[in-house]
Amino acid sequence: MYRTNQLTEALKSSNNALLLTKQFTVDKLLYIDVLLNLGIFHCHLDEITSALTHLLEAQQINLQNSTFYKSGEISMTMGVCYKKLGNWEEAKLHYEQSLLFFEQTNNKKLKAGSLLKLGILYKKIKKYDESLTYNEKSIEAYSLLSVEEGLINSKLELADLYIDIQNIEEAKRICDDFLHVNMNLDLKDHLNILIGRIDSCNGNLAQALNHFFLAHTIYQQKQAHKKMSELYIRIAKAYYHQKDFETASYYYRQGLLAQ
């Protein structure tokens, strides 16, 4: 249910699982699994307090039983929660902890994920050299594993970084490689926003708007309403630079309403 975006039903089932686990089992590892899943669901829904409550309980059970079950996944999800709260130091700490756990358990796929999340975090706080280092490590890790979705995601995040540091040509080269690649909606909307940003930097405002509206259509398909605000601001800026101030004003207002 979670993977098919039926989040309300997924949460309901997991809450039932939590109730049953508390009533009928002494299996601590199963209890941690249920708490971790609830933490992931609530984090995805931006219900951060609930997410952290479940994740901290899972962490505490591990501590009480001298186990490390799913510790990497717990730390990674806590990192995502703190990133959403804008607490960069706590997010970095938990991503680093997850990386350590995945290294110790030789979980190469999730290690690659932790590397990517650290790259994204460092980009967010404008530490671009560190961001580049972790991003390149994640690309290398996903390449060795032949995990296509992770590899595309890492390369798009690298293109995002190049735009931030004004290396537009390199960002365009990466995006051009994926123009005709079949990918999931999350990657497709990211690609369209990146191409729109590149077109904006190059003064191709009409083309930029085309790609921003393609991303907007995907957001509507996914019902990703919380991501709309930043996209509306990008659209507004493109219209503003075209000196279409009335339309720009409309999308600025839409951006404020979507926050």
Side-chain angles (χ1 to χ4, degrees), residues 14-23 31 34-35 38 54:
S14 291
N15 279 324
N16 286 338
L18 182 63
L19 181 63
L20 291 167
T21 306
K22 283 182 175 179
Q23 288 179 336
Y31 192 24
V34 174
L35 290 167
L38 277 164
H54 292 304

Side-chain angles (χ1 to χ4, degrees), residues 15-137:
N15 279 324
N16 286 338
L18 182 63
L19 181 63
L20 291 167
T21 306
K22 283 182 175 179
Q23 288 179 336
F24 299 114
T25 184
V26 291
D27 186 342
K28 299 297 184 185
L29 302 189
L30 176 60
Y31 192 24
I32 290 170
D33 262 327
V34 174
L35 290 167
L36 171 59
N37 279 305
L38 277 164
I40 292 170
F41 296 164
H42 282 291
C43 179
H44 189 82
L45 292 166
D46 291 333
E47 297 168 351
I48 306 301
T49 301
S50 296
L52 287 172
T53 298
H54 292 304
L55 295 165
L56 286 167
E57 186 175 356
Q59 202 174 55
Q60 188 65 28
I61 293 169
N62 264 332
L63 188 63
Q64 289 169 350
N65 291 275
S66 301
T67 54
F68 296 94
Y69 183 66
K70 297 287 180 77
S71 289
E73 290 91 331
I74 293 167
S75 291
M76 182 187 277
T77 311
M78 289 178 75
V80 175
C81 288
Y82 284 116
K83 180 176 178 286
K84 287 188 174 190
L85 291 173
N87 189 335
W88 312 121
E89 282 303 313
E90 280 295 324
K92 183 168 77 71
L93 175 66
H94 284 89
Y95 286 156
E96 288 170 343
Q97 285 178 350
S98 73
L99 180 60
L100 182 62
F101 282 123
F102 295 140
E103 285 175 338
Q104 290 175 337
T105 56
N106 198 32
N107 191 326
K108 294 178 181 178
K109 185 176 178 180
L110 290 181
K111 175 186 172 182
S114 290
L115 290 167
L116 178 57
K117 289 185 183 302
L118 280 163
I120 294 169
L121 178 65
Y122 276 114
K123 178 181 63 185
K124 189 75 176 176
I125 60 177
K126 302 186 188 307
K127 291 189 176 181
Y128 297 122
D129 288 341
E130 290 92 335
S131 177
L132 183 61
T133 297
Y134 279 109
N135 217 304
E136 288 177 338
K137 285 181 178 179

Side-chain angles (χ1 to χ4, degrees), residues 174-193:
I174 293 171
C175 290
D176 285 348
D177 287 343
F178 294 114
L179 282 175
H180 304 293
V181 173
N182 189 28
M183 58 182 72
N184 67 38
L185 290 179
D186 287 336
L187 296 175
K188 195 175 290 186
D189 67 44
H190 193 184
L191 177 62
N192 276 292
I193 289 171

